[in-house]
Structures are given as structure tokens and as C-alpha cells.
């Protein structure tokens, strides 16, 4: 009986140890490509949740395939996002979700006209 | 030729054979005496003996059945696992842990390495998947931006004709279903063309909403005029 319980405990501990939360990826463990693509997130990386990290890592191939100017724009957004406080992030996200203009390009035109560029 | 019947070994064998023969003779004698006694028993006694024998046989059969049922009901994972040898149990445990290990790290690596190949193949399918999984409220927005942009990106990557390539469709688009809020958040951030600070500016938000409403109003007015004509 004791042996059986020990086997069950071993299996349970093994499963827990292998769960993604325990093996959360540190910045140093990322590939060079991922680090260079997600460079603006470096400082805030430890504060991101595991699902957020996975979400960003999923986008690495997509970002790598982008032209340099678009990648620069995306990295600017990343840097901006990391610089925002939690409240500001929530505000930005809410306004983006509820925007009456869902097209980012149309919003860019509105921004140009607003700033007089 | 030497007579071997006088050797000690021969004497011992002969003695043993005689003992066995006498024992067998005694057993036969005892059995005959018992049979004779049993034949002389009264009918009542022999009937009681028969009934007792039947009872004993019946109870023995029931016990056997009960034991078989118990052993069958106890054949669950724990007892099954418990009956294995220690090495086999250790091997099964190690195999389970190894499979879990491979599964976990395989999934993580696939996110990093396999996605580029999947992205080009699944771009069109993802549009439908996103539509199917997103809530109804988000479907309109996804059609307007994410879905259309995905299709246009697919066209851009699979055709060489410049007439199908639209410069304004190069926004980073989601190649994964945005059912995960974090995925959706990342999608929003990467798709945005203007500084995020703009959305902290109340003046800009009012201006943008006013402009959109004004445009919608103009369209409505224009449509009404068209219908009246």
C-alpha cells in the first residue's frame, strides 16, 4: 500500500514539475531571434504572465517576416506598451476595443488629421 | 559371476520393497474393513452422511465463487499496479513522466519553430476559425480588420500579381484564434499604427468619435437622399 501511494505521489509531483508554470521561460532561455524581435519587452518580461509570454512568442515568426519599417513600428508599440502602467494599459485596451473606428488604418488617418500632419 | 543379492545395498532395497508391500497391504485391509463397515451402517446414518457431504460440497462451491467475485472486483488500477514488480512500476512511472516532459516541451517548441510553416498554410482557414470562435460582438470587428487583413495577407504571400497586393494590408495580423485575451491584446498592440498614447488623450478620442459619427451621419443622409430620388 505504501509503495502504491509513493508511486502515485511520484507521478503527481512529476506532472506538477512538468507543468508550463514551473518551466516558465526566462528571457535568457529565449532564442536569439526571439530576444532580438521582442527586445522592447526585455525589462518587463519577468513581470508578464506565462500566457502573455506565450502570446508574444507565438508572434515571433510573424514579426521576423515583417519588413524592417513595420517591425520598427511594432517594436515601438511594444516599448510603449511596456512603459504604460496597468491602469493606462486597461484604458488603452478598452478604448481600442470599443473604438467606433475598428480599422487601424482609418484610426491612423484620424490621428494624422488630429495632429495636423 | 558374483552374487549381488548379499550386498548391503541389495539388502536395503529388499527391505524397502517389503515395507512398501506391507504398507499397501495394510491400506487395502483398512479400506476393505471400512467398506464392510459402511455397508453395515443403517440407512439413517448413511443418509445423514450423504446430506452432510452435499452440504460440505455446496458450501465449498459457494466459497470458491465468492472468492472469484472478490478477486474480480478488486481488479482495479491500484491492485493491478500493485501486483507488478518494482522495476516495472518504476518503468511505467518514468515513462509517464518522460511522455509528459516531451509533450510539454514539444508544445512550447512548436510555438517557436513550427508556426512559420503553419502560418502560410492556415492563413485562410484561420479566418474562418476566428470567425467561428470569437463572440458575436467581436465578429463584426474581426471581419472589418483581422479577417479581411488575413485574407489579403494570404493573397499577398501567394500571388505575384501586384494588382492583388495592397500596401495597407501589411499590418501584423493574428495567425492564431484570438480566443485567448492575451493573444487578442498582443494582436491589438501589434496592429496599431499610431502611438498608444493617443488613446490616453481624451481630446483625440472625442475627436475620433465625432469624426466617425459625422461620417456615418453623412452616409446615412446620402443614402436617404438616394432612396428619395
Amino acid at each position: 500500500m505504501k509503495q502504491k501511494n509513493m508511486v502515485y505521489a511520484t507521478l503527481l509531483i512529476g506532472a506538477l514539475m512538468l507543468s508550463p508554470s514551473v518551466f516558465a521561460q526566462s528571457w535568457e532561455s529565449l532564442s536569439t531571434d526571439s530576444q532580438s524581435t521582442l527586445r522592447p519587452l526585455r525589462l518587463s518580461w519577468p513581470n508578464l504572465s506565462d500566457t502573455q509570454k506565450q502570446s508574444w512568442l507565438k508572434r515571433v515568426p510573424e514579426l521576423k517576416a515583417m519588413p524592417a519599417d513595420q517591425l520598427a513600428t511594432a517594436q515601438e508599440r511594444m516599448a510603449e506598451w511596456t512603459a504604460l502602467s496597468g491602469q493606462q494599459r486597461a484604458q488603452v485596451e478598452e478604448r481600442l476595443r470599443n473604438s467606433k473606428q475598428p480599422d487601424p488604418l482609418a484610426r491612423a488617418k484620424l490621428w494624422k488629421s488630429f495632429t495636423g500632419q | 559371476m558374483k552374487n549381488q543379492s548379499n550386498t548391503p545395498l541389495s539388502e536395503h532395497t529388499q527391505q524397502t520393497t517389503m515395507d512398501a508391500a506391507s504398507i499397501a497391504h495394510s491400506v487395502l485391509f483398512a479400506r476393505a474393513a471400512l467398506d464392510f463397515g459402511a455397508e453395515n451402517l443403517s440407512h439413517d446414518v448413511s443418509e445423514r452422511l450423504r446430506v452432510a457431504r452435499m452440504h460440505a460440497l455446496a458450501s465449498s462451491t459457494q466459497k470458491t465463487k465468492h472468492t472469484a467475485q472478490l478477486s474480480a472486483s478488486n481488479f482495479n488500477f491500484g491492485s493491478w499496479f500493485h501486483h507488478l514488480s518494482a522495476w516495472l512500476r518504476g518503468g511505467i512511472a518514468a515513462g509517464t513522466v518522460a511522455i509528459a516532459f516531451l509533450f510539454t516541451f514539444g508544445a512550447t517548441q512548436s510555438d517557436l519553430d513550427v508556426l512559420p510553416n503553419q502560418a502560410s498554410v492556415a492563413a485562410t482557414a484561420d479566418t474562418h476559425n476566428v470567425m467561428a470562435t470569437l463572440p458575436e460582438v467581436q465578429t463584426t470587428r474581426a471581419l472589418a480588420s483581422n479577417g479581411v487583413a488575413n485574407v489579403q495577407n494570404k493573397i499577398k504571400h501567394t500571388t505575384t500579381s501586384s494588382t492583388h497586393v495592397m500596401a495597407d494590408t501589411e499590418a501584423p495580423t493574428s495567425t492564431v484564434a484570438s480566443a485567448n485575451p492575451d493573444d487578442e491584446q498582443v494582436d491589438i498592440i501589434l496592429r496599431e499604427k499610431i502611438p498608444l498614447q493617443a488613446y490616453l488623450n481624451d481630446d483625440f478620442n472625442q475627436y475620433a468619435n465625432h469624426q466617425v459619427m459625422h461620417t456615418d451621419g453623412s452616409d446615412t443622409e446620402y443614402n436617404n437622399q438616394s432612396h428619395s430620388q
Side-chain angles (χ1 to χ4, degrees), chain B residues 7 11 20 38 43 54 66-67 74 84 156 192 215-216 223:
Chain B
T7 62
E11 287 176 3
H43 175 73
M54 285 177 66
H66 185 63
T67 309
N74 285 336
L84 295 176
K156 174 172 173 274
E192 198 51 47
T215 308
D216 289 346
N223 288 334

Side-chain angles (χ1 to χ4, degrees), chain B residues 30 40 42 46 48 61 71 75 89 93 96 103 128 132 136-138 140 149 158 161 166 171 180 199 202 204 211:
Chain B
N40 289 336
S42 65
S46 62
R48 281 184 184 181
T61 309
S71 61
F75 190 76
R89 280 183 299 210
T96 308
F103 182 79
H128 299 295
E136 190 179 351
V137 178
Q138 295 175 353
T140 308
T158 52
S161 172
M166 297 177 65
N180 183 355
Y199 298 100
D202 291 335
F204 170 68
Q211 288 295 321

Side-chain angles (χ1 to χ4, degrees), chain A residues 101-113, chain B residues 193-194 199 204 208 212:
Chain A
Q101 181 52 267
D103 183 14
L105 292 165
R107 289 202 296 265
K109 284 180 186 172
L110 284 171
W111 175 248
K112 278 185 181 176
S113 66
Chain B
K193 296 288 183 192
I194 64 175
Y199 298 100
F204 170 68
V212 172

Side-chain angles (χ1 to χ4, degrees), chain A residues 1-4 7-8 10-11 14-15 18-20 23 25 29-31 34 49-67 69-70 73-78 80-84 87-93 95-105 107-115, chain B residues 76-79 81-82 86 89-90 92-94 96-98 100-101 104-105 107-109 111-113 115-116 138 140-141 144-145 156-157 167-176 178 180-205 207-209 211-213 216:
Chain A
M1 197 63 172
K2 280 184 179 178
Q3 283 182 344
K4 191 168 70 176
V7 169
Y8 288 151
T10 308
L11 287 174
L18 292 170
S19 66
F23 280 89
Q25 287 182 302
S29 70
L30 299 182
S31 66
S34 300
S49 68
D50 295 329
T51 52
Q52 283 177 321
K53 286 177 183 175
Q54 289 301 317
S55 297
W56 282 110
L57 287 171
K58 280 179 194 171
R59 302 305 180 90
V60 168
E62 190 182 343
L63 289 165
K64 274 170 62 183
M66 287 167 59
D69 57 334
Q70 288 178 33
T73 306
Q75 287 181 332
E76 278 178 29
R77 297 289 91 78
M78 287 185 221
E80 269 193 283
W81 184 256
T82 56
L84 296 176
Q87 189 181 356
Q88 287 173 326
R89 286 180 192 179
Q91 188 177 352
V92 168
E93 199 175 342
R95 284 182 170 173
L96 278 167
R97 285 181 201 276
N98 301 326
S99 174
K100 290 177 179 167
Q101 181 52 267
D103 183 14
L105 292 165
R107 289 202 296 265
K109 284 180 186 172
L110 284 171
W111 175 248
K112 278 185 181 176
S113 66
F114 177 74
T115 55
Chain B
N76 55 21
F77 176 76
S79 65
F81 200 73
H82 186 66
R89 280 183 299 210
I92 289 172
T96 308
V97 171
F101 184 86
T104 305
F105 279 90
T108 307
Q109 285 301 316
D111 290 338
L112 297 174
D113 301 332
L115 206 62
Q138 295 175 353
T140 308
R141 294 185 61 201
S145 56
K156 174 172 173 274
H157 286 299
D168 57 356
T169 61
E170 293 175 351
T173 54
S174 173
T175 54
V176 292
S178 297
N180 183 355
D182 292 322
D183 285 344
E184 198 177 355
Q185 187 186 60
V186 171
D187 192 34
I188 286 173
I189 294 166
L190 293 180
R191 226 187 315 137
E192 198 51 47
K193 296 288 183 192
I194 64 175
L196 298 177
Q197 292 288 341
Y199 298 100
L200 298 175
N201 186 330
D202 291 335
D203 291 339
F204 170 68
N205 285 290
Y207 171 79
N209 288 337
Q211 288 295 321
V212 172
M213 286 172 68
D216 289 346

Side-chain angles (χ1 to χ4, degrees), chain B residues 118-171:
Chain B
Q118 292 177 339
S120 58
V121 174
T124 309
D126 277 345
T127 308
H128 299 295
N129 289 337
V130 168
M131 296 305 111
T133 53
L134 281 177
E136 190 179 351
V137 178
Q138 295 175 353
T139 303
T140 308
R141 294 185 61 201
L143 269 173
S145 56
N146 195 14
V148 174
N150 261 336
V151 172
Q152 288 170 343
N153 255 353
K154 174 66 177 174
I155 292 168
K156 174 172 173 274
H157 286 299
T158 52
T159 62
T160 54
S161 172
S162 60
T163 54
H164 292 283
V165 177
M166 297 177 65
D168 57 356
T169 61
E170 293 175 351

Side-chain angles (χ1 to χ4, degrees), chain A residues 12-33:
Chain A
L12 184 63
I13 290 168
L16 287 174
M17 284 179 66
L18 292 170
S19 66
S21 60
V22 176
F23 280 89
Q25 287 182 302
S26 65
W27 179 261
E28 288 74 21
S29 70
L30 299 182
S31 66
T32 312
D33 282 343

